[in-house]
Amino acid sequence: MRRRIQKLIKKKTKDLNSKTLDQKQKKSIISSLEESIKHLNETLGNSDDFVVRKISVGKEEDINIGIFYIEGLVDTERVSDFIIEPLMFDFQEDESIHSKQDLLTVIKDSTIAVGDIQDVSDYESLVSSLASGYVIILVDGFTKGFTIGLTNENYRNVTEPSQETVVRGPKEGFTETLRTNTALIRRKINSPNLRIETRKIGEVTQTQVSIMFIKGIVNEKVLEEVRARLSKINIDGLLESNYIEELIQDKTFSPFPTIYNTERPDVVSACLLEGRVAILVNGTPFVLVVPSLFIQFFQAAEDHYQRWDFSTFIRFLRIACFFITLLAPSLFIAITTYHQEMIPTPLLISLAAQREGVPFPAFVEALLMEITFEILREGGIRMPKAVGQAISIVGTLVIGTAAVEAGFISAAMVIIVAITAIASFVIPAHNMSISIRLIRFLFMGLAASFGLFGITAAFIGLILHLCSIRSFGIPYMSPFGPFNVPDQKDSLFRLPLWRLSTRPRLVNQQNINREQSPSPKPPSKK
């Protein structure tokens, strides 16, 4: 009983302290303009990019107004045109102004020619708006001011995505500006039910994070889970969407990604129409989508822009490349080391002749080649674009040829590693490709130790692990585990669009029907 009372006292004391801190942080604006300027300079540490512009307006120039902004975040030409010039030349103290509130109303509603203008009454909100690129207006003698949106628009233009290129389909990709990204999605989904909820995450960076969903289609349980997980984030800085991904994902120690990321507005729009939730972070072109399933990482935007039969073939090709990337080196090691009887005699003689002068076992040989290729791949990415691709290609050819001629590596191993590397590039999702490349080394080690029995045990463990994962409560292997017959029409297969009449049942549970389009038929003869 005593412990319970002590806990209650501690909790109440903590709540009171937090309320006191909030009250201290949310200090009301002082009516004196000079005191406000002094307070802001102290808060910002007399920063060189903090601009203070004081002007006197009115018939007798007895109204002192302060204009504050951060240089570089604000369009200074628009500040002069839409704020300073109207206040100095157009504003006149009207005889109908009888109170202080009337003066602020005239400035806000009749003088400032800007649409985005909001009231501000405390220094915490004022400083936060300054750091976000807003212009602040304070009037001497008033405890309330205005925030005006005149942010600098010198950002990267909308260009083609660098990671997710398509032969047919939209060529636009997300940018680092949050509002540009939300606008790109709104252009594709012209519905009033498309909702955006924005919050700030990061004690220091105060990064804007938006949740996008379609009311009436979204899975409400998933939406509430997203809100709850985002509200629990307590971090100093948020610089990229991966910060959010690592802090809200279901499985922290799984090599497989449980949150999908993309830089294509059409992909995000398609996911929203299925009932998923998109998370956009200001400052990055990569948008997160939840929940995400295993098969989703093997699907591309182009699958719905090509004929259904060709798209189905390409999907099977990607799954085949998944198995090649995962199993090709380990199968070669296991067969050449433990199960030579499985190899045809002519091929066995050829492999034996190639390995006659090689001093390393097959596992060490494969390990050296795989690590060398990963080094070349990473080096090609980090080097300047003008020479990176050439260096990676020439380096691979020269090193592979020289290693075979020197007798360090057999020619068959070079072929296996090359096929494995090429197959890894076929997988559309880069994070899934990385996961498979990491797991491949585990399979190689077990193949070198136990042969095909080790590969079989590892594969069974991999399947069990995949079936145990969930993404925001949705089984990761859906619609295969649990098996769902209606959802098979857009998983491994991609049936014609007129057959895709329902949304994924485990992702969306309240608005299943998507379309009622009939199958196309030739015109009847008259």
Side-chain angles (χ1 to χ4, degrees):
M1 186 68 179
R2 183 181 296 175
R3 290 181 179 178
R4 291 183 63 186
I5 294 174
Q6 289 177 349
K7 286 182 179 179
L8 289 172
I9 293 173
K10 287 182 179 179
K11 185 178 180 181
K12 289 183 178 180
T13 305
K14 186 176 180 181
D15 293 339
L16 288 173
N17 290 336
S18 62
K19 288 181 180 179
T20 305
L21 288 173
D22 291 339
Q23 291 175 356
K24 288 182 179 179
Q25 289 176 352
K26 294 186 177 180
K27 182 179 178 181
S28 299
I29 294 175
I30 305 171
S31 60
S32 172
L33 181 60
E34 294 297 330
E35 291 295 328
S36 295
I37 294 173
K38 182 180 178 181
H39 179 79
L40 289 174
N41 277 321
E42 291 176 355
T43 303
L44 298 174
N46 295 311
S47 181
D48 292 336
D49 59 352
F50 176 51
V51 178
V52 178
R53 177 77 162 87
K54 292 189 292 183
I55 60 176
S56 298
V57 299
K59 291 181 179 180
E60 300 178 0
E61 296 186 353
D62 57 344
I63 301 174
N64 297 318
I65 298 178
I67 302 170
F68 313 93
Y69 58 89
I70 302 296
E71 188 176 7
L73 298 181
V74 172
D75 189 341
T76 54
E77 292 185 4
R78 296 169 68 193
V79 172
S80 300
D81 294 340
F82 300 124
I83 297 179
I84 298 178
E85 185 175 338
L87 286 174
M88 295 185 68
F89 301 104
D90 300 337
F91 175 76
Q92 295 291 334
E93 188 176 1
D94 199 331
E95 294 179 357
S96 63
I97 298 175
H98 301 291
S99 65
K100 292 182 178 180
Q101 190 64 35
D102 292 338
L103 177 60
L104 293 179
T105 303
V106 169
I107 294 175
K108 180 181 178 181
D109 297 341
S110 304
T111 306
I112 305 298
V114 178
D116 185 8
I117 180 169
Q118 302 292 333
D119 296 335
V120 61
S121 58
D122 60 88
Y123 284 114
E124 182 189 11
S125 302
L126 190 151
V127 174
S128 177
S129 298
L130 273 174
S132 299
Y134 285 82
V135 180
I136 307 297
I137 291 183
L138 297 179
V139 183
D140 190 24
F142 295 86
T143 58
K144 186 175 72 172
F146 307 120
T147 65
I148 302 174
L150 291 176
T151 55
N152 195 339
E153 297 180 353
N154 292 330
Y155 300 112
R156 184 170 67 91
N157 296 325
V158 177
T159 57
E160 185 176 359
S162 59
Q163 299 292 331
E164 302 172 77
T165 57
V166 295
V167 177
R168 179 178 179 180
K171 303 294 183 180
E172 58 187 8
F174 289 122
T175 69
E176 286 75 18
T177 310
L178 179 63
R179 284 295 162 251
T180 301
N181 296 341
T182 57
L184 288 173
I185 298 175
R186 280 202 177 274
R187 288 175 185 172
K188 296 186 178 299
I189 304 178
N190 301 318
S191 170
N193 292 325
L194 179 62
R195 307 294 169 83
I196 302 176
E197 298 178 2
T198 304
R199 63 186 70 193
K200 290 185 178 180
I201 298 179
E203 295 294 330
V204 179
T205 59
Q206 292 288 305
T207 306
Q208 288 184 319
V209 178
S210 293
I211 304 172
M212 293 192 74
F213 59 92
I214 301 178
K215 188 69 175 177
I217 295 180
V218 68
N219 188 332
E220 293 292 342
K221 294 181 180 179
V222 173
L223 179 60
E224 290 300 324
E225 186 66 23
V226 171
R227 290 169 176 163
R229 295 189 188 186
L230 288 177
S231 63
K232 293 179 182 178
I233 296 178
N234 187 7
I235 190 173
D236 285 343
L238 182 63
L239 303 178
E240 214 275 334
S241 57
N242 183 65
Y243 286 63
I244 296 288
E245 183 176 350
E246 289 195 24
L247 291 171
I248 68 173
Q249 63 185 353
D250 291 65
K251 281 283 187 179
T252 305
F253 299 104
S254 174
F256 292 96
T258 55
I259 297 178
Y260 188 78
N261 68 79
T262 179
E263 52 181 341
R264 295 187 60 89
D266 55 331
V267 173
V268 175
S269 301
C271 292
L272 292 175
L273 290 170
E274 288 183 346
R276 292 182 167 88
V277 180
I279 303 173
L280 297 86
V281 181
N282 191 31
T284 176
F286 290 93
V287 175
L288 306 179
V289 178
V290 295
S292 300
L293 309 179
F294 177 77
I295 192 61
Q296 185 179 351
F297 293 91
F298 297 90
Q299 299 173 353
E302 203 171 10
D303 290 353
H304 289 83
Y305 306 147
Q306 303 281 2
R307 283 181 52 87
W308 66 272
D309 46 1
F310 179 73
S311 298
T312 301
F313 168 74
I314 294 299
R315 285 188 180 181
F316 275 98
L317 184 65
R318 294 188 193 120
I319 297 298
C321 289
F322 162 73
F323 287 108
I324 292 173
T325 305
L326 183 66
L327 299 175
S330 55
L331 285 174
F332 183 82
I333 293 170
I335 293 174
T336 56
T337 305
Y338 295 100
H339 311 282
Q340 295 91 345
E341 67 278 1
M342 297 178 63
I343 306 175
T345 303
L347 180 59
L348 182 61
I349 295 172
S350 176
L351 291 175
Q354 293 177 24
R355 293 189 50 80
E356 185 177 358
V358 177
F360 304 111
F363 171 68
V364 176
E365 190 181 358
L367 192 63
L368 288 174
M369 285 298 297
E370 290 290 350
I371 293 176
T372 302
F373 189 84
E374 293 296 331
I375 293 172
L376 289 170
R377 189 204 307 254
E378 191 67 18
I381 295 174
R382 305 303 167 196
M383 292 184 71
K385 290 184 178 180
V387 296
Q389 188 174 5
I391 291 295
S392 60
I393 295 174
V394 173
T396 305
L397 292 174
V398 171
I399 291 176
T401 305
V404 172
E405 291 180 354
F408 289 107
I409 305 295
S410 63
M413 183 58 73
V414 174
I415 296 173
I416 294 296
V417 172
I419 292 175
T420 303
I422 295 172
S424 67
F425 289 116
V426 177
I427 300 172
H430 180 65
N431 49 359
M432 177 60 74
S433 176
I434 293 175
S435 302
I436 299 169
R437 281 155 49 191
L438 288 175
I439 299 172
R440 181 176 60 202
F441 289 99
L442 174 63
F443 274 74
M444 288 166 55
L446 291 173
S449 302
F450 306 103
L452 291 178
F453 299 103
I455 296 176
T456 304
F459 194 72
I460 293 174
L462 179 65
I463 294 175
L464 293 175
H465 174 69
L466 288 172
C467 292
S468 68
I469 300 176
R470 287 179 175 266
S471 178
F472 285 78
I474 307 299
Y476 192 57
M477 290 303 292
S478 174
F480 310 112
F483 189 76
N484 191 332
V485 176
D487 289 351
Q488 300 300 319
K489 58 182 177 294
D490 195 16
S491 54
L492 288 178
F493 302 90
R494 207 282 276 173
L495 297 185
L497 288 176
W498 54 270
R499 291 291 301 274
L500 306 180
S501 58
T502 59
R503 296 183 175 89
R505 295 180 181 272
L506 287 178
V507 175
N508 187 286
Q509 298 176 352
Q510 64 172 344
N511 191 345
I512 299 297
N513 294 326
R514 174 156 45 189
E515 61 177 280
Q516 299 293 333
S517 300
S519 60
K521 296 180 180 179
S524 58
K525 295 182 180 180
K526 295 183 181 180

